[in-house]
Amino acid sequence: MSKIRFEDVPIKDCGEPLVNLQDYPFVLSAEYHQQSFAPTPDMFLRESVADALVKVQDLYDGEYQFKIWDAFRSRDTQNAIYEDYNKRLAA
């Protein structure tokens, strides 16, 4: 059985903009940046997803906030996570 590489899976962009979650009322914890997998703490989601999360959060009248620790991952970030996992499996 051959190993499937994620790099070989084509990406089909839907064209919807990615938005920076720093501009939204969420609690952000850039876990992959803190673990040195991502080069920056910036976190992005598709605009419709971020807006939908705000609508749900607003149902709770400020009593709760979503804590987001993972969002869009670049291929480089995904590769770093993948390689780390493979190393731990091999150990």
Side-chain angles (χ1 to χ4, degrees):
M1 183 161 74
S2 64
K3 184 176 171 183
I4 298 173
R5 296 169 14 109
F6 78 88
E7 298 95 337
D8 297 334
V9 177
I11 296 174
K12 294 181 183 178
D13 194 319
C14 68
E16 182 179 357
L18 290 167
V19 293
N20 191 329
L21 293 182
Q22 290 181 6
D23 300 330
Y24 285 78
F26 305 129
V27 175
L28 303 178
S29 180
E31 295 297 319
Y32 289 133
H33 174 67
Q34 293 172 18
Q35 296 173 31
S36 300
F37 294 130
T40 70
D42 298 327
M43 297 172 65
F44 298 89
L45 281 178
R46 295 291 180 189
E47 186 171 37
S48 64
V49 174
D51 291 344
L53 289 172
V54 169
K55 285 180 184 178
V56 172
Q57 185 171 274
D58 287 348
L59 294 174
Y60 295 96
D61 297 322
E63 190 173 340
Y64 298 101
Q65 281 185 291
F66 283 116
K67 181 173 185 176
I68 300 174
W69 61 273
D70 185 21
F72 167 81
R73 297 179 199 159
S74 69
R75 284 221 179 208
D76 289 341
T77 297
Q78 184 62 40
N79 188 50
I81 295 165
Y82 179 81
E83 291 298 325
D84 179 72
Y85 183 70
N86 276 338
K87 283 180 193 172
R88 288 187 285 138
L89 283 178

